Amino acid sequence: MPIATIENADLAHILTVMKREQVVSGKRQAQVEACMLTFEDGACGSLSLTRDLTGLTYVRRECSVFENTTVPIPDIDRVLSILKVHGPQVHVSYGEGKVVFKSGRKQTTLQVSDEAKAFSHSPESVRAFHEKSCGLAERINGVQKTYTDRNGTFIPACATFTADAADLYAALRCDAIGNQRLNRFVFEFDNEGQNSDIKVIVGDPMYGLTETKISTVGKPAHNASGKVLKMAFDGGLDYLFKHKQGSCEVFFFDFTHEEQGYRFGVLFNDRSWAFQAGVL
């Protein structure tokens, strides 16, 4: 009996976003190669830090869950290739070190283990890396827009705004103008308080620097930092937003007093979220 039935496109979406692709030195690379899929409470979700520990991503999709369990996926690309040959709805079974994907008359069995390496050149297992990811995730509250430090102190977001994910992707993707792909995304709040204008700045003036003013959705943007903010991030944010639609809540934390720069957070309307450390 399967542990869950999920739309093929939804499972592919989870795994594609979890890879957190980015371009470094002109080459596209996945920041996550393996992950754990958690089936529980009517949803399939996955949580993982990125390879360099600067990013954290949680992606979820609703599905029919018949047994709450966690399934190791030691090679995301391999499972994505499996899904390409299956039908629109996939039944997932797991047991005895094997995960089975079934649709119609087709069934694919894949040997898996949570002791497999999280990355090809890493001594950490998929399970250990997942547990490390869960530890950091407990500190982040995307709904309340707070971060809890090691001392248990709640740190509120220094700036927030709500926008359409497609609009943000349209701004971030301009990093590719002239085939630059610098993987550097700057968010600028031009004044403190309510109604702050927000710009996304990407690119180099030599090849084309693009500034995009972001239109907010619902309540206006809020900058509580008491200063003009200009925050730079990498981590492939353009690829992150490429796969998302609808409104999303974006928030930032200020750790400059600890010489740790800023942190970027986003909560999507499907309850997925992502976190990214800033460029120092």
Side-chain angles (χ1 to χ4, degrees):
M1 179 179 175
I3 58 171
T5 297
I6 185 171
E7 295 296 316
N8 189 322
D10 287 343
L11 184 52
H13 171 86
I14 293 171
L15 295 173
T16 299
V17 177
M18 282 306 301
K19 289 174 64 177
R20 283 295 300 271
E21 287 189 321
Q22 65 176 353
V23 173
V24 177
S25 300
K27 296 181 179 180
R28 186 184 296 189
Q29 64 174 216
Q31 299 183 83
V32 178
E33 296 176 3
C35 65
M36 301 287 282
L37 288 177
T38 300
F39 294 90
E40 65 180 3
D41 302 329
C44 172
S46 187
L47 171 74
S48 181
L49 282 158
T50 54
R51 184 194 309 267
D52 62 2
L53 308 182
T54 63
L56 180 66
T57 316
Y58 172 70
V59 191
R60 72 182 295 279
R61 278 289 194 266
E62 294 183 356
C63 66
S64 298
V65 177
F66 311 116
E67 178 185 341
N68 291 354
T69 191
T70 301
V71 179
I73 303 295
D75 188 330
I76 292 176
D77 282 335
R78 186 167 299 169
V79 174
L80 285 172
S81 69
I82 289 172
L83 295 177
K84 287 180 180 179
V85 302
H86 277 273
Q89 194 172 67
V90 179
H91 305 286
V92 182
S93 303
Y94 174 60
E96 299 180 352
K98 296 177 182 178
V99 59
V100 178
F101 303 94
K102 185 175 182 179
S103 65
R105 294 176 295 165
K106 189 175 297 180
Q107 176 176 303
T108 305
T109 302
L110 180 66
Q111 186 172 327
V112 298
S113 170
D114 60 8
E115 291 299 324
K117 290 183 178 180
F119 300 94
S120 53
H121 302 291
S122 170
E124 283 190 283
S125 68
V126 178
R127 176 173 51 80
F129 202 70
H130 175 73
E131 291 172 353
K132 180 187 291 186
S133 302
C134 291
L136 178 58
E138 290 176 354
R139 298 183 183 181
I140 303 164
N141 188 321
V143 176
Q144 297 297 325
K145 314 294 183 294
T146 59
Y147 180 89
T148 306
D149 66 16
R150 291 189 176 93
N151 299 319
T153 302
F154 288 93
I155 301 172
C158 67
T160 61
F161 70 89
T162 301
D164 189 277
D167 286 347
L168 281 167
Y169 173 61
L172 296 166
R173 71 193 293 264
C174 293
D175 178 54
I177 287 177
N179 203 32
Q180 297 178 76
R181 301 191 183 280
L182 302 179
N183 192 29
R184 184 64 54 89
F185 312 96
V186 177
F187 289 81
E188 182 178 277
F189 286 71
D190 68 349
N191 61 276
E192 58 185 274
Q194 297 281 2
N195 300 311
S196 177
D197 286 334
I198 308 150
K199 288 181 182 178
V200 170
I201 307 169
V202 296
D204 186 293
M206 182 70 71
Y207 303 100
L209 182 147
T210 304
E211 298 183 3
T212 305
K213 185 176 179 180
I214 302 301
S215 298
T216 58
V217 175
K219 59 184 179 181
H222 182 60
N223 178 5
S225 68
K227 58 185 177 182
V228 172
L229 293 173
K230 194 168 186 177
M231 304 165 288
F233 302 88
D234 52 18
L237 295 186
D238 51 344
Y239 285 103
L240 172 66
F241 280 89
K242 178 181 181 179
H243 305 285
K244 291 297 183 180
Q245 297 178 341
S247 64
C248 60
E249 300 173 42
V250 181
F251 48 99
F252 303 87
F253 297 104
D254 185 352
F255 291 96
T256 56
H257 59 286
E258 298 180 5
E259 299 184 349
Q260 295 183 18
Y262 295 93
R263 300 290 186 273
F264 164 96
V266 57
L267 177 64
F268 295 102
N269 61 358
D270 62 358
R271 291 165 58 190
S272 300
W273 55 268
F275 194 67
Q276 180 66 42
V279 176
L280 297 177

